[in-house]
Amino acid sequence: MTHTPAETVRASSMASSPASRPEPPVARKVPTERSHHGDTFVDHYEWLRDKENPDVVAHLQAENAYTEAVTAHQQPLREAIFQEIKNRTQETDLSVPVRKDGWWYYGRMEEGKQYGIQCRVRATDTGDPAADWTPPQVAAGRPVPGEQILLDGNAEAEGKPFFSLGGSAVTKDGRLYAYAADYAGDERFTLRIKDLDTGRLLDDVVENVFYSLAFDPDDSRVFYTVVDESWRPYQIKAHTIGTSVDSDVVIYQEDDPAMWMGFELSADRRHLVIGIGCSEYSETRLLDFADPDAGLQTLIPRSERVLYDAEPFLLDGAQKVLLTHNKDAVNSMVSLADLSEFPRPLDAQHWDTVVEHDDGVRVNGAGVTSTHVVLSIRKDTIERVQVLPLDGLGTAAQAAPVEPDFDEELFTAGVGGSDYEAPMIRLAYTSFLTPPRIYDYELATGTLHLRKETPVLGGYDPANYVAEREWAAAADGTKIPLSVVRKATVQRDGSNPALVYAYGSYEVSMDPAFSTARLSLLDRGVVYVVAHVRGGGEMGRHWYDDGKKLHKKNTFTDFVDGTDWLAASGWADPARIAAMGGSAGGLLMGAIANLAPEKYAAIVAQVPFVDALTSILDPDLPLSALEWEEWGNPITDPEVYGYMKSYSPYENVRPAAYPKIAAVTSFNDTRVLYVEPAKWVAALRETGTGSDPIVLKTEMDAGHGGASGRYAAWKDRAWDYAFTLDAIDATELA
């Protein structure tokens, strides 16, 4: 008899019953005591943290072998999904060129190749600003006259297990190209510099740099960031081209382990802008390139406990600073101040209001061009862009902000990178139904120019799908926004499979965005729901504050309440609902597995932060001290310790019938260490009472984002989706 692929999957799945399933590896128990605030926790699997221990590696490999055996019947489905993603993707493609100085920069992909190729062509200046800032017409798969390749990621990755580009920069004269590459997945990059006139790599090599690169305006130095042993960026250094790395100068060093640090050039490239901060307050320091001997100028010191961003620029010949800040403004506002104000006490400084505070509008940030202010705001959960001219800024003559008009209910619009002198700004637009679009927005006229919509092959028609906003009631009466995406033909008859996804931390919003891979779920009749739970930023700053520290459990209960809404809505069969989340969203997955295991047919936890208390109690672990502003400090505060212990997934595993669970991690992840899901899976198997398989899949040559290369990333996504679809009986195309 001939079987369809779906029938083959079902037949294989039925064969994988508990009786015929291989036995999972059993991690040995080595009791380790952890004592804080009079409480002692005995951790039997902490020994798995020793990455250099051959027994640990052997255990992870045994877990991978078990996972492969248990999910072998899903391989045809994984391959089908991979091919669907591949067949929808125009593999030979390129980005819309972006002008910087005298060149147009862009990236292109070629069919059959894993990595992008960074390129440029010369720009021309005719005196017509609209023409000079209109990107050249370049077509996928066709030679571009005068193209110069800056970096071919495929050549760079050849013979290496991993490759990721962390940052790049070009000198103002266009001659030197600096780039940072990660070859292990640990987000520690190697900085190299290429002479674009000759194609030769310079002898300058700097190891173990972090994200962010920039040349100073005279092209003699390159700035970079260094991380400490706990993977916290703590130094900004300057390397002078052609000199020994040993002579690199420390521009700034941040010694507070609870502060994150980064830098960028100001939009007009007059200043190096150093940002230091946590989620609750920050500090900005400026280096004036016209007077570097004056050293760094601090704007608002961290001791004032103001959370702000600063953009210095010239306005009518005077040095100004545009501030996005939360001083007396929980959702933030925008003010304008003279640079000369900042040496004065904060209460004595004069600031002019540019954007007033609004309880219904979250101001995410503000930047400048030579003629306009560009605002990023969030209103009605949606991220939007607004612009207003510099003329009259901060005075009674200031014009009202103008917003580009889009016609969808649920969308995301953001600034996609613009040059300070350009007469237009680049916008990136997407929605659940609209593939990514690139627009240029003329600042003087408000005209939108569509430069590109990412093609989706195979006859994709957005009219075949629906994206709607729904609201779930939390136990405390709070209304939780849900984005519900489905195929238009799906009936509200209570029979459909569903997947609920969320993140819910760090004020990160799960904004509407198109996903080619997600079509493989929708086309199998899955109702896809994004739960915009507290701890994210979708509803303003208070939404974040109500889902952090001693309010963190709201994140978890919001997700369960959203699931309950879905189960009762008629859109889904309550027995066919799965959950998925990654990183801090993986913590969410671990928490809801303990809270309500019976509500889910499957849970996929991607690089999950499931041993949160252990990690944050150790300030020497990567990023632990930085996390205290998100979760609280359990080292010094017994209330925080007790609260975290009451929800940390690993410590709350209980005798319950857990659903099918897949924990997916990476051996070289520096953000959420592999040991967390490894310990969690061991505890789930030891304590859980159910018969459904619980598996651990570890990428041995990858980092926090999974394997490198687009085909490898597609295979990872296909694996996660196949695991989910198999569990909710949705393997067939609808």
Side-chain angles (χ1 to χ4, degrees):
M1 180 182 294
T2 301
H3 296 282
T4 66
E7 288 170 336
T8 302
V9 169
R10 279 203 306 274
S12 301
S13 181
M14 288 187 291
S16 183
S17 62
S20 62
R21 193 181 302 139
E23 288 296 318
V26 178
R28 73 172 187 269
K29 299 173 71 171
V30 180
T32 302
E33 290 191 355
R34 187 199 70 206
S35 296
H36 288 271
H37 306 297
D39 175 74
T40 297
F41 173 65
V42 179
D43 190 340
H44 293 288
Y45 301 113
E46 177 63 13
W47 68 273
L48 289 168
R49 187 176 300 277
D50 186 0
K51 191 175 181 181
E52 304 302 319
N53 184 343
D55 290 346
V56 172
V57 176
H59 176 73
L60 296 178
Q61 290 171 336
E63 288 280 14
N64 279 346
Y66 172 72
T67 298
E68 186 174 346
V70 168
T71 65
H73 66 280
Q74 297 167 13
Q75 177 56 34
L77 181 56
R78 291 198 288 262
E79 181 60 26
I81 296 171
F82 173 79
Q83 290 299 332
E84 288 163 14
I85 299 170
K86 189 171 183 290
N87 292 340
R88 294 187 200 107
T89 303
Q90 183 171 295
E91 295 187 63
T92 298
D93 201 3
L94 43 77
S95 64
V96 179
V98 175
R99 179 163 180 172
K100 190 171 182 62
D101 301 317
W103 296 84
W104 288 100
Y105 293 86
Y106 58 96
R108 57 182 171 86
M109 299 291 295
E110 295 182 357
E111 185 174 358
K113 295 186 176 180
Q114 290 266 31
Y115 301 98
I117 303 167
Q118 309 306 314
C119 311
R120 71 178 183 178
V121 294
R122 280 199 178 275
T124 57
D125 290 305
T126 66
D128 178 355
D132 293 344
W133 290 91
T134 297
Q137 294 296 313
V138 290
R142 297 180 186 174
V144 180
E147 178 180 273
Q148 182 177 18
I149 293 178
L150 308 179
L151 183 73
D152 184 343
N154 303 285
E156 195 74 16
E158 189 171 350
K160 301 177 179 69
F162 184 94
F163 170 73
S164 178
L165 189 63
S168 63
V170 182
T171 51
K172 187 173 177 61
D173 65 10
R175 186 175 68 86
L176 298 180
Y177 173 74
Y179 67 96
D182 173 11
Y183 303 106
D186 58 4
E187 296 181 86
R188 287 175 169 82
F189 300 86
T190 299
L191 167 62
R192 290 185 169 86
I193 301 172
K194 183 178 181 180
D195 186 327
L196 297 175
D197 288 344
T198 66
R200 182 179 65 87
L201 286 174
L202 304 188
D203 293 334
D204 307 66
V205 177
V206 185
E207 299 287 355
N208 294 317
V209 308
F210 195 52
Y211 296 97
S212 296
L213 296 177
F215 285 100
D216 67 5
D218 69 4
D219 298 343
S220 64
R221 298 187 298 173
V222 60
F223 299 101
Y224 63 92
T225 309
V226 179
V227 295
D228 61 17
E229 290 301 315
S230 66
W231 196 76
R232 179 185 65 92
Y234 82 111
Q235 284 184 336
I236 296 171
K237 302 180 82 171
H239 172 74
T240 300
I241 310 302
T243 67
S244 169
V245 173
D246 295 335
S247 63
D248 287 1
V249 176
V250 176
I251 302 296
Y252 177 74
Q253 178 168 315
E254 176 53 53
D255 294 321
D256 186 340
M259 300 295 275
W260 187 268
M261 181 191 66
F263 72 87
E264 61 184 2
L265 298 188
S266 61
D268 60 8
R269 291 190 277 194
R270 293 175 178 269
H271 289 85
L272 182 73
V273 183
I274 299 174
I276 310 139
C278 61
S279 65
E280 299 189 348
Y281 56 90
S282 59
E283 181 176 280
T284 297
R285 302 190 182 203
L286 303 180
L287 177 67
D288 187 345
F289 290 126
D291 188 15
D293 293 337
L296 297 174
Q297 177 183 357
T298 300
L299 298 183
I300 306 169
R302 68 191 72 181
S303 58
E304 297 289 354
R305 294 302 193 260
V306 176
L307 186 65
Y308 71 101
D309 291 318
E311 180 66 49
F313 70 108
L314 280 179
L315 181 62
D316 298 328
Q319 189 64 59
K320 301 282 189 176
V321 178
L322 193 67
L323 293 169
T324 304
H325 65 90
N326 72 344
K327 184 178 183 294
D328 304 319
V330 66
N331 264 345
S332 292
M333 60 184 291
V334 181
S335 299
L336 182 69
D338 288 321
L339 183 58
S340 59
E341 289 289 319
F342 293 98
R344 305 170 64 189
L346 181 61
D347 289 341
Q349 295 175 19
H350 175 74
W351 299 357
D352 292 311
T353 297
V354 175
V355 177
E356 294 182 345
H357 177 257
D358 186 332
D359 285 333
V361 178
R362 177 74 165 108
V363 180
N364 295 323
V368 295
T369 73
S370 60
T371 60
H372 284 72
V373 170
V374 182
L375 302 169
S376 172
I377 68 164
R378 184 176 300 280
K379 183 178 180 182
D380 301 326
T381 77
I382 301 300
E383 185 178 356
R384 308 162 186 267
V385 174
Q386 295 181 341
V387 300
L388 66 157
L390 293 180
D391 290 343
L393 194 69
T395 73
Q398 175 181 303
V402 176
E403 184 176 311
D405 186 30
F406 301 107
D407 59 4
E408 291 185 89
E409 176 192 5
L410 305 179
F411 66 88
T412 302
V415 180
S418 301
D419 189 271
Y420 180 70
E421 299 292 343
M424 54 189 71
I425 58 172
R426 180 65 53 85
L427 298 181
Y429 176 91
T430 186
S431 76
F432 289 115
L433 308 182
T434 302
R437 290 177 178 170
I438 298 297
Y439 290 97
D440 278 336
Y441 179 77
E442 278 193 58
L443 293 166
T445 65
T447 304
L448 273 174
H449 300 277
L450 178 61
R451 302 303 190 192
K452 180 179 181 179
E453 179 173 307
T454 301
V456 181
L457 307 183
Y460 170 73
D461 184 351
N464 291 335
Y465 304 87
V466 176
E468 298 173 318
R469 171 57 42 80
E470 300 283 359
W471 299 85
D476 63 3
T478 302
K479 295 297 184 182
I480 311 301
L482 306 174
S483 295
V484 181
V485 189
R486 56 181 172 82
K487 205 160 186 180
T489 53
V490 167
Q491 299 297 306
R492 196 169 186 169
D493 59 7
S495 68
N496 304 303
L499 173 62
V500 188
Y501 182 88
Y503 185 75
S505 292
Y506 305 105
E507 203 179 356
V508 173
S509 298
M510 294 292 99
D511 290 319
F514 186 80
S515 167
T516 300
R518 188 171 57 227
L519 294 175
S520 290
L521 298 176
L522 301 179
D523 288 349
R524 287 172 171 81
V526 174
V527 176
Y528 184 87
V529 178
V530 179
H532 304 286
V533 295
R534 281 174 282 186
E538 287 89 342
M539 298 288 284
R541 180 71 183 191
H542 75 90
W543 199 250
Y544 169 51
D545 290 336
D546 287 348
K548 65 182 291 192
K549 290 190 173 179
L550 296 177
H551 303 290
K552 189 62 202 172
K553 289 182 183 179
N554 285 335
T555 303
F556 316 139
T557 56
D558 283 358
F559 190 92
V560 174
D561 290 335
T563 303
D564 287 342
W565 175 91
L566 178 62
S569 69
W571 285 120
D573 178 348
R576 300 174 69 195
I577 298 175
M580 183 181 290
S583 196
L587 164 67
L588 170 58
M589 294 299 100
I592 61 109
N594 290 330
L595 277 175
E598 73 284 354
K599 296 182 187 293
Y600 303 97
I603 295 174
V604 177
Q606 301 155 319
V607 288
F609 186 43
V610 283
D611 191 18
L613 184 54
T614 301
S615 293
I616 296 176
L617 281 168
D618 187 347
D620 295 327
L621 288 177
L623 305 183
S624 289
L626 288 162
E627 301 288 348
W628 294 335
E629 295 302 329
E630 180 74 18
W631 316 96
N633 187 344
I635 298 174
T636 61
D637 191 331
E639 184 181 13
V640 170
Y641 177 90
Y643 188 75
M644 289 193 69
K645 185 168 184 180
S646 72
Y647 70 72
S648 187
Y650 175 57
E651 296 183 42
N652 287 279
V653 171
R654 59 188 176 88
Y658 287 95
K660 295 181 175 69
I661 292 178
V664 181
T665 188
S666 296
F667 191 54
N668 293 323
D669 192 342
T670 51
R671 301 190 186 218
V672 179
L673 302 185
Y674 72 89
V675 66
E676 298 201 24
K679 290 168 60 175
W680 181 53
V681 165
L684 285 167
R685 293 212 195 103
E686 177 191 6
T687 307
T689 61
S691 59
D692 283 325
I694 295 171
V695 301
L696 174 69
K697 176 175 174 280
T698 305
E699 292 285 351
M700 301 304 289
D701 294 313
H704 191 65
S708 65
R710 58 172 172 172
Y711 297 115
W714 294 348
K715 288 181 179 179
D716 283 349
R717 184 60 57 85
W719 195 98
D720 295 348
Y721 280 1
F723 184 91
T724 304
L725 291 167
D726 180 65
I728 58 178
D729 191 24
T731 59
E732 294 187 57
L733 290 167

